[in-house]
Amino acid sequence: MIVKNKILSNEIIKRKLGIIDSKDKYLFQNDFKKKISESYIYDLKNKTVYGDGKIGTLNQDILSDFLGYNSLSKFIFLKKIILKCKYFIKVLYQSIFLKQKCVKNNCVIIYNRNSYGYFHWILDTLPKILYAKKINANFTFIFPESLKQKFIIDSLKKFNTKFIFIKKEYKYLFKNITYVGELYPSGSPRKEVLKNLRKNLKFNKKNIQRIYISRNKSNRRKIINENILIQVLKKYKFKILYTEKIKFKKQVEIFSKANLVTGLHGAGITNIVWMKKNSQLFEIKPEKDLFLNCYFNLANALKINYHYLICKKHNYFSSSKNSDYEVNIGYFEKELKKIINEK
């Protein structure tokens, strides 16, 4: 038995274009106006949660939500089939071979298949805590061990959350368990949700830092001429950060003091969620990709001034997510000066 309760209503989000060159408008056209569907919390009875976090249910609403159908782009129909087949094959295997445990009530699931990534955790998953606590302040949040990452644990503690990690060698039978559905399609946030997320943290009062987010420690999507780019950035007193090396609490502190952030499209830019309104984001944006507008959308929701620079792929036949990029340094510095002089 599943009881479905609405927590957020339909919403139409209209976004301001800002300073977007007419020749580039096609890159943003999918996000100028978005309809966000209703959001739900589901109360489930006598359901199994497997060691890798999958839920033993045939409910199509929960399955499509858990598998992140709304975040898919390109070849969507094929991807849905592949995701669903892999899901049920794994569930069938675990239902046969894993030992069973019975678990106390008042547990809740807020994660989905994408929650392991910093962007998806901070913007899509973490805000669900606040909505779950409105239903029951005593919920224990459960997670698979694959989510046992430092930034996840630190953020859960920051939000005073009771949580446990289930072990991959067991399947867990819950007499009652709650599932929190998506609050919005990934990359298209509601303003009210972000407001609720931010008001639970303390921020610095002054904006004092310029920040460049480097992806040099990442194994993909780097800037091949970053050494030259950093020389330019240091002229303008930018702090060079490798966000994957910084603790969650420190990232919140650093970005809450930032008045200008730049970097190649990547998870580190998620931290603009901690910046104050009227701050500046200068995104180095991959060329010809219609689906990488999450930071344009986030900046709009937060009233952060959005600027961008299109950069060219270094590996032409690689996807936008995996290719390295080259930045036109002269054009970058020219645009950077404009942004600095605007303030």
Side-chain angles (χ1 to χ4, degrees):
M1 179 181 174
I2 296 176
V3 178
K4 180 178 175 182
N5 296 299
K6 185 170 73 173
I7 53 173
L8 292 169
S9 300
N10 291 332
E11 183 178 349
I12 302 292
I13 296 179
K14 295 180 181 179
R15 300 188 173 99
K16 296 180 181 178
L17 303 188
I19 306 170
I20 293 177
D21 194 302
S22 57
K23 74 178 187 303
D24 297 326
K25 280 188 177 180
Y26 77 98
L27 293 171
F28 301 90
Q29 63 188 5
N30 293 333
D31 292 280
F32 290 155
K33 184 177 179 180
K34 279 281 189 180
K35 180 178 180 180
I36 309 299
S37 299
E38 297 171 336
S39 299
Y40 294 92
I41 282 182
Y42 303 84
D43 293 321
L44 295 79
K45 294 186 180 296
N46 300 314
K47 293 297 178 184
T48 299
V49 178
Y50 297 96
D52 64 355
K54 292 182 176 63
I55 307 164
T57 181
L58 296 175
N59 182 278
Q60 293 305 302
D61 289 344
I62 294 175
L63 281 175
S64 62
D65 187 283
F66 186 89
L67 293 173
Y69 283 174
N70 284 334
S71 66
L72 297 176
S73 61
K74 301 179 183 178
F75 312 111
I76 293 174
F77 181 73
L78 178 61
K79 288 179 179 178
K80 285 182 177 180
I81 292 174
I82 293 171
L83 283 171
K84 192 170 280 189
C85 287
K86 287 173 69 175
Y87 186 93
F88 283 117
I89 289 171
K90 194 68 183 287
V91 164
L92 178 61
Y93 174 86
Q94 292 181 100
S95 66
I96 295 171
F97 292 104
L98 296 187
K99 298 176 182 178
Q100 183 169 292
K101 280 189 173 185
C102 293
V103 181
K104 63 181 181 179
N105 296 332
N106 296 327
C107 289
V108 62
I109 292 173
I110 60 171
Y111 61 85
N112 68 12
R113 75 175 180 91
N114 293 316
S115 293
Y116 64 89
Y118 189 80
F119 170 87
H120 292 289
W121 175 260
I122 297 297
L123 295 179
D124 300 340
T125 309
L126 195 60
K128 293 180 182 179
I129 290 173
L130 308 176
Y131 291 87
K133 285 185 174 182
K134 287 181 181 180
I135 305 298
N136 187 338
N138 294 315
F139 269 141
T140 297
F141 293 77
I142 66 165
F143 302 98
E145 287 187 322
S146 59
L147 295 183
K148 204 170 188 178
Q149 301 181 61
K150 190 69 170 62
F151 72 85
I152 288 178
I153 294 171
D154 288 347
S155 62
L156 289 170
K157 289 178 179 177
K158 187 77 173 175
F159 280 81
N160 299 315
T161 305
K162 293 188 295 184
F163 59 91
I164 58 172
F165 290 94
I166 58 177
K167 298 185 180 297
K168 60 184 179 181
E169 60 265 28
Y170 293 99
K171 56 186 177 184
Y172 297 79
L173 178 63
F174 290 86
K175 185 177 179 182
N176 297 288
I177 191 165
T178 298
Y179 179 85
V180 183
E182 70 174 14
L183 304 177
Y184 42 75
S186 185
S188 195
R190 301 178 191 254
K191 293 180 183 179
E192 191 61 30
V193 172
L194 296 179
K195 181 180 177 182
N196 289 337
L197 178 68
R198 288 165 55 86
K199 76 180 183 182
N200 280 267
L201 297 172
K202 292 181 180 179
F203 297 99
N204 290 281
K205 294 181 180 179
K206 293 183 180 180
N207 297 24
I208 58 174
Q209 289 186 341
R210 295 173 182 170
I211 292 171
Y212 170 68
I213 302 168
S214 174
R215 291 185 57 84
N216 195 44
K217 306 296 183 185
S218 176
N219 56 11
R220 62 189 174 94
R221 206 162 67 246
K222 303 179 184 182
I223 295 176
I224 61 169
N225 56 342
E226 186 180 67
N227 288 342
I228 304 172
L229 180 64
I230 286 176
Q231 290 174 23
V232 171
L233 289 163
K234 285 184 175 179
K235 281 169 48 179
Y236 297 93
K237 296 181 169 42
F238 273 79
K239 187 174 184 178
I240 314 302
L241 293 186
Y242 306 91
T243 53
E244 61 267 51
K245 304 295 183 182
I246 304 171
K247 293 180 179 180
F248 170 76
K249 183 179 178 180
K250 189 66 176 177
Q251 290 189 60
V252 175
E253 178 187 336
I254 290 170
F255 282 85
S256 70
K257 293 191 291 186
N259 59 7
L260 172 55
V261 168
T262 188
L264 180 62
H265 180 95
I269 299 179
T270 303
N271 286 298
I272 69 168
V273 74
W274 316 124
M275 293 171 69
K276 297 176 182 66
K277 69 178 182 178
N278 297 322
S279 302
Q280 311 280 338
L281 170 63
F282 185 21
E283 181 181 17
I284 301 171
K285 188 175 172 64
E287 62 178 342
K288 299 177 182 177
D289 198 306
L290 306 178
F291 302 101
L292 295 180
N293 294 326
C294 55
Y295 298 122
F296 165 71
N297 297 339
L298 181 58
N300 253 264
L302 297 169
K303 295 184 179 179
I304 290 171
N305 298 310
Y306 179 82
H307 312 266
Y308 69 97
L309 177 80
I310 302 296
C311 59
K312 292 188 175 182
K313 285 184 179 181
H314 181 62
N315 320 92
Y316 187 79
F317 294 104
S318 295
S319 68
S320 295
K321 291 183 178 181
N322 293 308
S323 176
D324 292 333
Y325 290 87
E326 183 172 6
V327 174
N328 182 321
I329 302 297
Y331 188 47
F332 176 89
E333 185 171 11
K334 179 182 175 183
E335 294 302 305
L336 181 62
K337 284 181 180 178
K338 287 182 186 177
I339 296 167
I340 290 172
N341 291 333
E342 274 180 18
K343 297 184 291 180

